[in-house]
Amino acid sequence: MNYILYENFCSNPQAYWFWFEVVFVVGCCMGSFLNVCIWRMPLGESVITAPSHCPKCGHQIKWYENIPLISFLCLRAKCSGCKQPITWRYFIVELLTGTLFAIAYIAITYKKMPFSLMIPAGAMIMLAVSAAFIDFEHRIIPDALNFPAMVVGGIFWIAEYFTGAIRLEGLIITLFCGFAAWGFFIFLAWLGAKIFKAEALGMGDVKFLAAAAFLFGPSMIIEYFAGLLIASLSGFLFGVVHALLKKQDLRGSTLPFGPFLASGMVIAMYLPHCK
Ligand SMILES: [Zn+2]
């Protein structure tokens, strides 16, 4: 297994596992940034300006209190200012993002795909993790997540075209698919609202699906549809079980769709590559 993995990617296993560790650490740092997004975006606060502070006592987080995973454990999940507990979400999001990055690295090298694909894969993971957590709590997927993801996808494939990695047709298909997905899911949301007389697919979900289409690109269209299928089936099954347990009408189900879309797309990204 190890042999197959590194042979596809570099000359020796040491280098392979070194890059594995780098990817994991970068993923954890990205998770740390996502924690800021998850906390501030629904409140409409900027994620770039204003240094991080404790939401309970206002204590400014020092750089050494902001090291992913490690600081949380060293502080024993407590703010160093007011000693109030810090939610485990911080630790979970960092570990989850790092782990998903590491799995993406293994999947990409195993499938003999170019390492540059870590960029759209990483963007997809970041979008998925933050959208899942925000949608679960606030029932929205902010534009501030979806639009940057679309832009990253668009710019990445344009750069791939200029470096000769994909042909012009590939670039046109990608950009077309992104906008087509956007239009199609707006239509589907409208249709769903007409038929079910309730919002089945929110505009946040629609833009999330468009962003995923931009990120998946020309070679992963089948995986994209697989992700859609996984999300819809798991969302539907969960919805039915949830409605039965709560003895509600399925149409009145208030289950957020974002976490299902997010996990569906991330799982699809790891699937064996089919052409
Ligand atoms: Zn505090």
Side-chain angles (χ1 to χ4, degrees), residues 163-225:
T163 54
I166 57 168
R167 286 192 299 219
L168 186 59
E169 302 94 89
L171 177 62
I172 293 169
I173 291 171
T174 307
L175 299 181
F176 174 78
C177 286
F179 286 111
W182 201 341
F184 173 73
F185 288 113
I186 288 177
F187 169 72
L188 210 63
W190 172 82
L191 198 69
K194 270 229 144 153
I195 294 171
F196 299 111
K197 306 258 182 296
E199 191 186 67
L201 195 65
M203 277 304 127
D205 301 327
V206 166
K207 282 173 230 165
F208 177 92
L209 285 165
F214 278 108
L215 289 167
F216 271 59
S219 55
M220 304 254 296
I221 291 172
I222 297 170
E223 281 89 338
Y224 179 78
F225 285 108

Side-chain angles (χ1 to χ4, degrees), residues 5-225:
L5 287 174
Y6 85 80
E7 268 286 282
N8 292 341
F9 179 59
C10 60
S11 57
N12 66 70
Q14 277 84 12
Y16 182 84
W17 293 109
F18 170 77
W19 286 110
F20 175 85
E21 285 159 28
V22 170
V23 166
F24 177 73
V25 171
V26 169
C28 292
C29 295
M30 292 299 166
S32 187
F33 172 65
L34 293 184
N35 274 316
V36 180
C37 298
I38 292 168
W39 172 250
R40 292 192 193 173
M41 273 180 184
L43 304 175
E45 289 178 26
S46 163
V47 293
I48 299 162
T49 54
S52 298
H53 54 85
C54 166
K56 283 163 188 150
C57 71
H59 166 77
Q60 275 211 3
I61 314 286
K62 311 230 168 41
W63 67 267
Y64 55 82
E65 292 172 344
N66 218 352
I67 301 162
L69 302 180
I70 298 163
S71 294
F72 187 89
L73 295 176
C74 289
L75 292 168
R76 289 166 205 278
K78 285 188 185 78
C79 165
S80 70
C82 61
K83 304 287 173 213
Q84 296 261 12
I86 307 170
T87 160
W88 273 84
R89 190 188 65 222
Y90 285 94
F91 186 80
I92 293 166
V93 167
E94 284 163 0
L95 186 62
L96 178 66
T97 313
T99 307
L100 293 176
F101 266 59
I103 300 174
Y105 171 80
I106 295 205
I108 284 171
T109 48
Y110 185 73
K111 292 192 270 188
K112 298 185 186 178
M113 292 172 112
F115 186 59
S116 61
L117 285 177
M118 270 313 293
I119 295 171
M124 185 68 238
I125 291 166
M126 290 174 70
L127 172 65
V129 170
S130 47
F133 277 86
I134 294 179
D135 197 30
F136 185 74
E137 217 176 314
H138 302 274
R139 306 297 153 98
I140 49 157
I141 304 179
D143 286 349
L145 293 176
N146 289 324
F147 288 142
M150 286 181 201
V151 171
V152 169
I155 291 176
F156 175 80
W157 293 111
I158 291 170
E160 288 284 276
Y161 166 67
F162 280 110
T163 54
I166 57 168
R167 286 192 299 219
L168 186 59
E169 302 94 89
L171 177 62
I172 293 169
I173 291 171
T174 307
L175 299 181
F176 174 78
C177 286
F179 286 111
W182 201 341
F184 173 73
F185 288 113
I186 288 177
F187 169 72
L188 210 63
W190 172 82
L191 198 69
K194 270 229 144 153
I195 294 171
F196 299 111
K197 306 258 182 296
E199 191 186 67
L201 195 65
M203 277 304 127
D205 301 327
V206 166
K207 282 173 230 165
F208 177 92
L209 285 165
F214 278 108
L215 289 167
F216 271 59
S219 55
M220 304 254 296
I221 291 172
I222 297 170
E223 281 89 338
Y224 179 78
F225 285 108

